[in-house]
Amino acid sequence: MSVEPRQAASPVPYGQLVPVTVHFDDLDALGMLHNSRFPLLSERAWAAYWGGHGFTFDGDWSAAGDMCNVIKEMQISYERPVARAGRYAAHLWVERIGRTGLTYGFRICSADGAETYARGHRVLVRVDPQALRPTPWSDRARTIASGLLRSPEADVADVAA
């Protein structure tokens, strides 16, 4: 499984499509993408997205800044199987930005974003590396995350679809 650089323009009405690849060895004994690979594809796509904006982790938690975060909650719903290796996408967006928390949504979908295989959300909390207590996101991270914020109009469009 690999993650490719993010696309310059996104064909989705909100958020960003990040290309991902499903390899043959990601498939289970039934020839479907193993359930544990869906969140991994999402995680790798988010890492590529943030990495494309200069947010990386090199092993030093004290220098990690906004990359020093923990998962508070994760939910995923599997809608249809991925039945072959190939090129797909992770559709990424931000649901909510709090002072120390960030809720993001994701879909694992066809490369063009038209077909959905799984969808979910994840809640992250930024933590201080020494105290391991919640700490505020930087202004830079908040600005970048705001660019992926899903509008209320998108919620209405999704309900109508």
Side-chain angles (χ1 to χ4, degrees):
M1 182 171 8
S2 64
V3 176
E4 300 160 9
R6 64 188 176 91
Q7 298 172 340
S10 179
V12 291
Y14 57 88
Q16 179 76 48
L17 279 183
V18 176
V20 296
T21 302
V22 172
H23 297 277
F24 177 77
D25 60 352
D26 293 322
L27 306 178
D28 66 14
L30 297 174
M32 296 183 287
L33 182 62
H34 190 275
N35 66 293
S36 68
R37 299 297 194 182
F38 287 89
L40 185 61
L41 284 172
S42 168
E43 176 65 23
R44 289 181 175 171
W46 276 108
Y49 178 81
W50 285 105
H53 289 283
F55 290 85
T56 59
F57 175 68
D58 66 2
D60 180 1
W61 287 113
S62 296
D66 292 292
M67 296 305 285
C68 187
N69 56 68
V70 295
I71 301 169
K72 179 179 179 183
E73 172 185 312
M74 178 150 186
Q75 177 272 327
I76 188 167
S77 172
Y78 302 96
E79 298 188 11
R80 58 185 289 192
V82 170
R84 62 181 170 73
R87 296 174 61 89
Y88 296 88
H91 177 195
L92 310 176
W93 66 89
V94 172
E95 295 282 346
R96 179 185 174 281
I97 308 165
R99 190 174 79 79
T100 63
L102 173 72
T103 303
Y104 69 72
F106 65 91
R107 287 186 314 128
I108 303 303
C109 55
S110 56
D112 64 1
E115 297 179 63
T116 300
Y117 300 101
R119 69 175 68 235
H121 74 266
R122 197 162 108 165
V123 179
L124 298 177
V125 177
R126 181 172 180 212
V127 295
D128 175 272
Q130 283 74 40
L132 297 180
R133 302 288 306 153
T135 194
W137 298 102
S138 70
D139 289 341
R140 183 167 175 260
R142 295 176 69 74
T143 298
I144 292 167
S146 293
L148 292 181
L149 200 56
R150 185 175 175 184
S151 70
E153 294 82 25
D155 293 334
V156 171
D158 281 352
V159 171

